[in-house]
Amino acid sequence: MKNSDIARRHDRILSLLASHASLSASALADLLSVSVQTIRSDLRMLDEEGAVRRRHGAAHLLTPSDNIGYEPRLEVSRDEKSRIGAVIANIVPPGATIALGTGTTVEACARAIARHEGLTVFTNSIHAVLALHLAPKVSVSLAGGNVRLRDLDFIGSESVEFFAGLRLDYAVFSVGGLSPAGDMLDFNMAEVRARRAIFECARHRILVADQSKIGRPAPHAYGKLWEAETIVCGHELAGNLQDEIRLIGHTAIKV
């Protein structure tokens, strides 16, 4: 178990690497005001966890063909994800029907709305179910199929069918990355199909994205971020994206 100082520093390292192609240990040390020796120790730990790769004196996140593991992703922008969750709790009222997608940011949203009474929740994330287990008078339905053990979720054809017949008040979903042109990106087609099914099952769609997703590459695109009625993000979106969101009459919220 990491102590809180190391966990916070690892959170910052992962956030910085998500915003750059790669960074050297000395550059990270300068940015975080710690010694190079400390950063090298941190990078060894993160490498062993499968969060980063060290090569030729520099560190970078995994290649865009795959996402990093779930546990390391929990450390990325943890406080920011909590703030995003608080915004979602203010948007979604008690008694609402809601679809929750997969990912650590959506899990933070599930924890935040667990204080609401009378929610009816449909999800393909076991993490979301666990976050809601103490919610008052909650009804939770979980998609079936093969469990993706690394992330404890379901993204196969059964999940697509599970969401396809629903007509809910809200859907909260995240993405693997957001391109500078506003494309919603993911790492494989199974994730794309599952998230698209979640997107289409609700009247009010809410995209949640921590700052590490802004400009992060992933190989599959499936729509524009402004298609969601509300976008809750931990970083100021570029002016061109804000213009598109306003033009369509939707809302962007920076936490």
Side-chain angles (χ1 to χ4, degrees):
M1 181 70 68
K2 299 176 185 176
N3 68 41
S4 58
D5 288 340
I6 294 174
R8 281 193 294 269
R9 194 166 61 248
H10 286 190
D11 185 346
R12 288 287 295 129
I13 290 170
L14 292 172
S15 295
L16 287 166
L17 292 177
S19 302
H20 297 77
S22 66
L23 287 169
S24 67
S26 60
L28 285 165
D30 289 342
L31 289 166
L32 296 176
S33 300
V34 296
S35 70
V36 173
Q37 183 178 2
T38 295
I39 290 295
R40 285 175 177 158
S41 175
D42 291 333
L43 292 176
R44 278 195 300 272
M45 292 176 66
L46 290 169
D47 194 338
E48 291 169 358
E49 292 173 358
V52 304
R53 289 291 178 267
R54 295 177 296 159
R55 190 171 299 167
H56 306 305
H60 58 85
L61 294 180
L62 293 187
T63 60
S65 61
D66 195 14
N67 202 355
I68 64 176
Y70 199 92
E71 291 301 321
R73 291 194 336 254
L74 284 172
E75 301 299 329
V76 178
S77 307
R78 183 185 291 271
D79 292 342
E80 182 185 337
K81 291 171 183 176
S82 295
R83 295 195 301 272
I84 290 172
V87 171
I88 299 306
N90 286 329
I91 294 173
V92 175
T97 59
I98 181 170
L100 295 176
T102 62
T104 56
T105 306
V106 176
E107 180 187 350
C109 296
R111 287 196 298 270
I113 64 172
R115 297 186 295 272
H116 291 353
E117 184 172 311
L119 293 172
T120 301
V121 180
F122 298 84
T123 185
N124 58 336
S125 168
I126 295 173
H127 290 286
V129 173
L130 294 174
L132 289 163
H133 79 286
L134 294 179
K137 299 181 181 179
V138 66
S139 171
V140 180
S141 296
L142 180 64
N146 292 323
V147 179
R148 186 168 59 165
L149 291 175
R150 189 192 69 172
D151 288 4
L152 289 182
D153 61 17
F154 302 86
I155 59 170
S157 59
E158 293 91 343
S159 289
V160 174
E161 294 172 4
F162 173 79
F163 290 109
L166 300 175
R167 295 296 178 267
L168 308 178
D169 299 324
Y170 298 91
V172 178
F173 70 101
S174 189
V175 290
L178 291 169
S179 79
D183 299 296
M184 296 186 289
L185 306 174
D186 256 312
F187 293 93
N188 59 68
M189 285 306 300
E191 290 177 322
V192 167
R193 294 186 188 102
R195 283 178 173 153
R196 175 55 68 180
I198 292 168
F199 183 90
E200 292 175 349
C201 79
R203 290 183 289 275
H204 188 134
R205 289 74 61 93
I206 306 173
L207 167 62
V208 293
D210 69 81
Q211 62 180 313
S212 72
K213 304 297 177 62
I214 307 301
R216 185 186 186 192
H220 299 281
Y222 61 104
K224 299 293 188 179
L225 67 88
W226 53 80
E227 294 176 32
E229 280 73 19
T230 302
I231 301 98
V232 184
C233 187
H235 190 273
E236 194 77 43
L237 293 170
N240 64 307
L241 303 182
Q242 295 188 51
D243 290 343
E244 293 286 355
I245 293 166
R246 285 192 293 267
L247 182 65
I248 203 171
H250 290 171
T251 303
I253 301 171
K254 177 183 175 297
V255 299

